[in-house]
Amino acid sequence: MTRIVIFGNSGSGKSTLAAKLSRENALAHLDLDTLAWEPVSPPVRRSVAKSRESINHFMNGNENWVIEGCYSDLLEFSLEKATKVIYLCLPIEQCVDNAKFRPWEPHKYESKEAQDANLDMLISWIREYERRNDTFSKAAHEQLFNNFSGQKVRFSSNQ
């Protein structure tokens, strides 16, 4: 059984790595961005309870999976069934560079132009990672990583 949870800052390569692992190992792939937000504009965070219901449905419906995101409050729930954790703890400027050159994510944005319109906001968000004290912060991710007792690995580069 393979059940991997990947987390880290925005732009750290979570989606890229999860997609690669999914393809190479026939794992179902869940990007938490797809269920953490209500489909409204401006974005509103879906309740943790509703998001956890969706995660539970995904985990129960797939024996082997990879779940990725930056939401510690949701990741914590998925860790209960995970066999491995991957923490992408890249330098901030590497995350910024990755964000600048990321491909269009059609499951998140209606167009590449819409995605790029959020780039300045995303870069600001990425640069606040080490200073924030929320569910998306480096401190929250460090705590998740440290508290997980199973197989785990921390990467500080996309290499």
Side-chain angles (χ1 to χ4, degrees):
M1 179 176 1
T2 302
R3 296 179 172 180
I4 303 169
V5 172
I6 302 171
F7 55 90
N9 194 4
S10 294
S12 63
K14 300 176 301 293
S15 297
T16 301
L17 179 58
K20 180 180 185 214
L21 292 173
S22 177
R23 278 190 314 274
E24 292 176 355
N25 301 289
L27 304 175
H29 174 192
L30 177 61
D31 177 343
L32 293 179
D33 283 339
T34 63
L35 58 81
W37 300 93
E38 295 290 350
V40 297
S41 186
V44 174
R45 180 86 192 268
R46 181 174 285 160
S47 76
V48 171
K50 282 178 82 174
S51 294
R52 285 184 174 191
E53 281 179 31
S54 297
I55 296 167
N56 198 42
H57 179 75
F58 173 82
M59 291 189 301
N60 289 336
N62 298 285
E63 184 170 346
N64 297 296
W65 45 256
V66 57
I67 296 174
E68 50 101 353
C70 58
Y71 310 85
S72 295
D73 51 359
L74 302 180
L75 292 161
E76 183 177 44
F77 176 70
S78 62
L79 289 180
E80 296 170 9
K81 295 184 179 180
T83 59
K84 182 177 184 177
V85 159
I86 300 173
Y87 176 22
L88 300 179
C89 187
L90 277 64
I92 298 295
E93 289 309 310
Q94 189 171 358
C95 293
V96 168
D97 287 345
N98 290 344
K100 288 178 182 176
F101 299 106
R102 74 191 193 277
W104 175 40
E105 298 174 300
H107 62 288
K108 296 180 190 176
Y109 298 96
E110 62 201 36
S111 68
K112 176 75 166 120
E113 293 74 25
Q115 177 174 299
D116 289 345
N118 283 330
L119 188 56
D120 289 341
M121 181 277 305
L122 180 61
I123 289 171
S124 290
W125 177 255
I126 290 168
R127 287 194 168 126
E128 294 171 1
Y129 182 61
E130 295 175 345
R131 293 186 301 268
R132 286 195 309 268
N133 287 315
D134 56 19
T135 189
F136 310 101
S137 68
K138 182 176 183 177
H141 293 161
E142 291 283 340
Q143 184 175 1
L144 278 179
F145 186 80
N146 292 336
N147 290 343
F148 186 71
S149 60
Q151 182 184 4
K152 57 187 172 181
V153 62
R154 177 193 318 245
F155 291 109
S156 57
S157 147
N158 283 135
Q159 307 307 316

